[in-house]
Amino acid sequence: MKSILPMLSLALLLFSWTTESTAQEVYTVTGQVIDPDDGLPLPGVNVLEKGTQNGRVTDTEGSYSIDVSPNATLVFSFIGYKTTEIQVNNRSVVDLTIPTDNRQLAEVVVTAFGLERDKKALGYTTQSVEG
């Protein structure tokens, strides 16, 4: 029994050493996302580490903070702006002026299927839009 204990201790030591050496480093990356047209910060921009579920949203000042691997790629996306990918490359600050997307929605249609009600029976106001 005494001969097993030193071998078990050595095995545990080697296991803990290999798991620590293979653990990936994590960097905290901060930054701000700016609108190119007026220079104002953009709140609500999605910031995602590419290939993961790790993501954040910019605050009211367009700022974000996210923990990523050193060589991660950040994906910035927001309606009306082009999705942009930026490599971190061991940087702790990544600021971005996200380009606008000139494509516009041609038409938006909102419908409710299968709802038939008399206008007088509704408990809320309605609007009619004509061509």
Side-chain angles (χ1 to χ4, degrees):
M1 194 70 172
K2 288 184 178 183
S3 63
I4 294 176
L5 190 56
M7 290 179 64
L8 185 58
S9 300
L10 181 61
L12 287 173
L13 178 66
L14 287 174
F15 176 74
S16 66
W17 178 74
T18 56
T19 56
E20 286 179 22
S21 65
T22 59
Q24 200 170 28
E25 290 184 58
V26 175
Y27 283 85
T28 299
V29 177
T30 60
Q32 188 177 34
V33 182
I34 303 292
D35 183 314
D37 296 331
D38 55 18
L40 295 175
L42 282 173
V45 176
N46 295 310
V47 182
L48 182 69
E49 182 180 4
K50 188 174 183 176
T52 70
Q53 302 262 332
N54 181 23
R56 299 290 182 270
V57 176
T58 58
D59 63 15
T60 57
E61 297 298 318
S63 299
Y64 69 93
S65 178
I66 186 169
D67 294 332
V68 296
S69 59
N71 296 317
T73 299
L74 295 178
V75 180
F76 298 85
S77 62
F78 192 59
I79 294 174
Y81 295 84
K82 292 183 180 178
T83 299
T84 305
E85 295 184 7
I86 303 287
Q87 285 192 311
V88 173
N89 293 331
N90 297 322
R91 292 183 287 173
S92 60
V93 176
V94 177
D95 292 328
L96 174 70
T97 301
I98 191 169
T100 56
D101 190 353
N102 293 330
R103 294 179 292 164
Q104 295 184 9
L105 295 175
E107 184 176 294
V108 176
V109 179
V110 179
T111 63
F113 287 71
L115 295 178
E116 292 182 28
R117 300 279 190 270
D118 185 15
K119 188 173 181 179
K120 294 177 186 176
L122 295 175
Y124 50 89
T125 60
T126 62
Q127 290 183 333
S128 298
V129 179
E130 296 177 9

